[in-house]
Amino acid sequence: MKRLVLRALPVVALLVGGLAVVSPRLSGQSAGVPSTKNGEWPSYIADHRGTKYSPLDQVNAANFSKMEIAWRFKTDNLGPRPETKLESTPIMVRGMVYATAGTRRAVVALDPRTGEQKWMYSMDEGERATRWAPRQLSGRGLSFWTDGKGDDRIVYVTTGYRLVELNAKTGQPVATFGAKGVVDLKQGVVIGKDKQIDLEKGEIGLHSTPLVIGDTIIVGASMFEGLGYTYATNSKGVIRAFDARTGKQIWKFNTIPYPGEPGNETWENGSWEWSGNVGV
C-alpha cells in the first residue's frame, strides 16, 4: 500500500478494489507549473528526481490517527472482473486526481473534494490484453504533460502495450497524437534479427508509467516473469522516446545491442541475434 500525503490534497491511500481519500480540509491549487511545492503530486515518483516527497505538512504524525474517510471510489466494474491487486499511484494536477484502475486499466478523473467521477476512459483490447499481455491489471499509474498554455494531457500505456494521450479536461483521445490519440508500441518490436512480432500475440508490455521530460515521452518494455520459457523466443527489449505533441518516435535504444552499437561484442557467437527479453 502506498500513501500520498499532501496539504492541499487529501491523503490518497490505495486499497484493494478501490481508492479511499481522507482529509481534514482542502485548499485551492496553483495555476502555475505542476509541482509538489504547489500542493500537487504531478507524477508517479513526485518529480523528475524521483524523490517521492512532498514538503507539505498539514497531515503529520500528530493528527494522522484522527483523520476520517471522506469518500471512496470503487473500481470493481472497470473491467470484466474485479481487480485484487490495485497498485496504481494517483497523480494530482490542477485540482484533479487522475488514476488507472480496474482490470481494463481504465483511466479516471476524480474531484478530490467529493470523489465525483469527472470522466473515464477505457480501451477494450480483447485477447491482446486479457490473454497475451505480460503485464496486466491497472499497472503503476499514468503521467501528465502540459505545454504550459492550457494544453494538458494524460499519458499512459494500455495493458496491450499502446501509448495513449488523453485530454486532461475531457478524457478524450488527443486526435493529433499518433493515430487518433494512440501509438501502437508493438510496431517496431522484433524477434531475432529483424522479424516484426505479431501485433496480437507478440510478447511485450509495460505496467510502469511513461516518463515525461519536457516534450519527450520515454517508454520501456517488460516481458513475462519467471523462468518457464525459452528467452531466445522472446521479443527484444527496447526503450523509445516519442514527441509528446505528435507521438512521432524521436529515438530508440536496443537493450540487446546490434552490430555497431556499444556492447555488441560482448554478445559472443552472434548471440545478440537470437536472444530476446532484456526489458527495462
Side-chain angles (χ1 to χ4, degrees), residues 1-3 11-22 69 71-76 83-90 100-102 138:
M1 181 184 293
K2 303 179 188 299
R3 289 186 174 89
V11 177
V12 178
L14 297 189
L15 304 179
V16 174
L19 302 175
V21 175
V22 289
I69 298 293
W71 52 263
R72 286 184 174 91
F73 180 80
K74 297 288 286 181
T75 65
D76 301 45
E83 180 174 17
T84 58
K85 191 180 179 182
L86 180 58
E87 299 178 333
S88 171
T89 293
T100 52
S138 59

Coordinates of all heavy atoms in Angstrom, one line a residue, residues 1-3 11-22 69 71-76 83-90 100-102 138:
M1 N 0.8 -1.2 0.0 CA 0.0 0.0 0.0 C 0.9 1.2 0.0 O 1.9 1.3 0.7 CB -0.9 0.0 1.2 CG -1.8 1.2 1.3 SD -2.8 1.3 2.8 CE -3.8 -0.2 2.6
K2 N 0.5 2.2 -0.8 CA 1.3 3.5 -0.9 C 0.4 4.6 -0.4 O -0.8 4.6 -0.6 CB 1.7 3.8 -2.3 CG 2.5 2.7 -2.9 CD 2.9 3.1 -4.4 CE 3.6 1.9 -5.1 NZ 4.8 1.4 -4.5
R3 N 0.9 5.6 0.3 CA 0.2 6.7 0.8 C 0.8 8.0 0.3 O 2.0 8.1 0.3 CB 0.1 6.7 2.3 CG -0.8 5.7 2.9 CD -0.9 5.8 4.4 NE -1.9 4.9 4.9 CZ -1.5 3.7 5.4 NH1 -0.3 3.3 5.2 NH2 -2.4 2.9 5.9
V11 N -4.9 12.8 1.8 CA -4.1 11.6 1.8 C -4.8 10.7 0.8 O -6.0 10.4 0.9 CB -4.1 10.9 3.2 CG1 -3.3 9.6 3.1 CG2 -3.4 11.9 4.1
V12 N -4.1 10.1 -0.1 CA -4.7 9.2 -1.1 C -4.1 7.8 -0.8 O -2.9 7.6 -0.9 CB -4.4 9.6 -2.5 CG1 -4.9 8.5 -3.5 CG2 -5.0 10.9 -2.8
A13 N -4.9 6.9 -0.3 CA -4.5 5.5 0.0 C -5.0 4.5 -1.0 O -6.2 4.6 -1.3 CB -4.9 5.2 1.4
L14 N -4.2 3.6 -1.5 CA -4.6 2.6 -2.4 C -5.1 1.4 -1.6 O -4.4 0.9 -0.8 CB -3.5 2.2 -3.3 CG -2.9 3.3 -4.2 CD1 -1.9 2.7 -5.2 CD2 -4.0 4.0 -4.9
L15 N -6.3 1.0 -1.9 CA -6.9 -0.1 -1.3 C -7.3 -1.2 -2.3 O -7.4 -0.9 -3.5 CB -8.2 0.3 -0.5 CG -8.0 1.4 0.5 CD1 -9.4 1.7 1.1 CD2 -7.1 1.0 1.6
V16 N -7.4 -2.4 -1.9 CA -7.8 -3.5 -2.8 C -9.2 -3.2 -3.3 O -10.1 -3.0 -2.5 CB -7.8 -4.8 -2.1 CG1 -8.4 -5.9 -3.0 CG2 -6.3 -5.2 -1.8
G17 N -9.4 -3.0 -4.6 CA -10.7 -2.8 -5.2 C -11.2 -1.4 -5.2 O -12.3 -1.1 -5.6
G18 N -10.3 -0.4 -4.8 CA -10.8 1.0 -4.9 C -9.8 2.0 -4.3 O -8.8 1.6 -3.8
L19 N -10.2 3.2 -4.4 CA -9.4 4.3 -3.9 C -10.1 4.9 -2.7 O -11.3 5.1 -2.7 CB -9.2 5.4 -4.9 CG -8.5 5.1 -6.2 CD1 -8.5 6.3 -7.2 CD2 -7.1 4.6 -6.0
A20 N -9.4 5.3 -1.6 CA -10.0 5.9 -0.5 C -9.3 7.2 -0.2 O -8.1 7.3 -0.3 CB -10.0 5.0 0.7
V21 N -10.0 8.2 0.1 CA -9.4 9.5 0.4 C -9.8 10.0 1.8 O -11.0 10.0 2.2 CB -9.8 10.6 -0.6 CG1 -9.3 11.9 -0.3 CG2 -9.3 10.2 -2.0
V22 N -8.8 10.5 2.6 CA -9.1 11.0 3.9 C -8.5 12.4 4.0 O -7.4 12.6 3.5 CB -8.6 10.1 5.0 CG1 -9.4 8.8 5.1 CG2 -7.1 9.8 4.8
I69 N -12.4 8.8 6.8 CA -12.6 8.6 5.3 C -13.6 9.7 4.8 O -14.7 9.9 5.4 CB -13.2 7.2 5.1 CG1 -12.2 6.1 5.5 CG2 -13.6 7.1 3.6 CD1 -11.0 6.1 4.7
W71 N -14.3 10.0 1.3 CA -15.1 9.3 0.2 C -14.3 8.1 -0.3 O -13.1 7.9 0.0 CB -15.4 10.2 -0.9 CG -14.3 11.0 -1.5 CD1 -13.9 12.3 -1.3 CD2 -13.3 10.5 -2.5 NE1 -12.8 12.6 -2.0 CE2 -12.4 11.6 -2.8 CE3 -13.2 9.3 -3.2 CZ2 -11.4 11.5 -3.7 CZ3 -12.1 9.2 -4.1 CH2 -11.3 10.3 -4.4
R72 N -15.0 7.2 -1.0 CA -14.3 6.0 -1.6 C -14.8 5.9 -3.0 O -15.9 6.3 -3.4 CB -14.8 4.7 -0.9 CG -14.1 4.4 0.5 CD -14.5 3.1 1.0 NE -13.8 2.7 2.2 CZ -14.3 3.0 3.4 NH1 -15.4 3.6 3.6 NH2 -13.6 2.6 4.5
F73 N -13.9 5.5 -3.9 CA -14.2 5.2 -5.3 C -14.0 3.8 -5.6 O -12.9 3.3 -5.5 CB -13.4 6.1 -6.2 CG -13.6 6.0 -7.7 CD1 -14.7 6.6 -8.2 CD2 -12.8 5.2 -8.5 CE1 -15.0 6.4 -9.6 CE2 -13.1 5.0 -9.8 CZ -14.2 5.6 -10.4
K74 N -15.0 3.0 -5.9 CA -14.9 1.6 -6.2 C -14.6 1.4 -7.7 O -15.1 2.0 -8.6 CB -16.3 0.9 -5.9 CG -16.7 1.0 -4.5 CD -15.9 0.1 -3.6 CE -16.2 -1.3 -3.8 NZ -15.4 -2.3 -3.0
T75 N -13.6 0.4 -7.9 CA -13.1 0.1 -9.2 C -13.6 -1.2 -9.7 O -13.1 -1.7 -10.8 CB -11.6 0.2 -9.2 OG1 -11.1 -0.8 -8.4 CG2 -11.1 1.5 -8.7
D76 N -14.5 -1.9 -9.0 CA -14.9 -3.3 -9.4 C -15.3 -3.4 -10.8 O -15.1 -4.4 -11.5 CB -16.0 -3.7 -8.4 CG -15.6 -3.7 -7.0 OD1 -15.0 -2.7 -6.6 OD2 -15.8 -4.7 -6.3
E83 N -10.5 -6.2 -9.7 CA -9.1 -6.3 -9.5 C -8.7 -6.6 -8.1 O -9.3 -5.9 -7.2 CB -8.4 -5.0 -10.0 CG -6.9 -5.1 -9.9 CD -6.2 -3.9 -10.5 OE1 -6.8 -2.9 -10.8 OE2 -5.0 -4.0 -10.7
T84 N -7.8 -7.5 -7.8 CA -7.4 -7.8 -6.5 C -6.0 -7.3 -6.2 O -5.5 -7.6 -5.1 CB -7.5 -9.3 -6.2 OG1 -6.6 -10.0 -7.2 CG2 -8.9 -9.8 -6.4
K85 N -5.4 -6.6 -7.1 CA -4.0 -6.1 -6.9 C -3.9 -4.7 -7.4 O -3.1 -4.5 -8.4 CB -3.0 -7.1 -7.5 CG -1.6 -6.8 -7.2 CD -0.6 -7.8 -7.9 CE 0.8 -7.5 -7.5 NZ 1.7 -8.4 -8.2
L86 N -4.6 -3.8 -6.8 CA -4.5 -2.4 -7.3 C -3.2 -1.7 -6.8 O -3.0 -1.5 -5.6 CB -5.7 -1.6 -6.7 CG -5.9 -0.2 -7.1 CD1 -5.9 0.0 -8.7 CD2 -7.1 0.5 -6.5
E87 N -2.3 -1.4 -7.7 CA -1.0 -0.8 -7.3 C -0.9 0.6 -7.9 O 0.2 1.2 -7.7 CB 0.1 -1.7 -7.9 CG 0.1 -3.1 -7.3 CD 1.2 -4.0 -7.9 OE1 1.6 -3.7 -9.0 OE2 1.6 -4.9 -7.2
S88 N -1.8 1.1 -8.6 CA -1.7 2.4 -9.2 C -1.5 3.5 -8.2 O -2.2 3.6 -7.1 CB -3.0 2.7 -10.0 OG -3.0 4.1 -10.5
T89 N -0.6 4.4 -8.4 CA -0.4 5.6 -7.6 C -1.1 6.8 -8.3 O -0.7 7.2 -9.4 CB 1.1 6.0 -7.4 OG1 1.7 4.9 -6.7 CG2 1.3 7.3 -6.7
P90 N -2.1 7.4 -7.8 CA -2.8 8.5 -8.4 C -1.8 9.7 -8.5 O -0.9 9.9 -7.7 CB -4.0 8.8 -7.5 CG -4.1 7.6 -6.6 CD -2.8 7.0 -6.5
T100 N -5.1 5.2 -12.9 CA -5.5 4.0 -13.6 C -6.2 3.0 -12.6 O -5.8 3.0 -11.5 CB -4.4 3.3 -14.3 OG1 -3.3 3.0 -13.3 CG2 -3.8 4.1 -15.4
A101 N -7.2 2.3 -13.1 CA -7.9 1.4 -12.2 C -8.6 0.3 -12.9 O -9.1 0.5 -14.0 CB -8.9 2.2 -11.3
G102 N -8.8 -0.9 -12.3 CA -9.5 -1.9 -12.8 C -8.8 -2.8 -13.8 O -7.7 -2.5 -14.2
S138 N -4.2 -2.9 -13.5 CA -4.2 -1.4 -13.6 C -2.8 -0.8 -13.7 O -2.6 0.4 -14.1 CB -4.9 -0.8 -12.5 OG -4.3 -1.1 -11.2

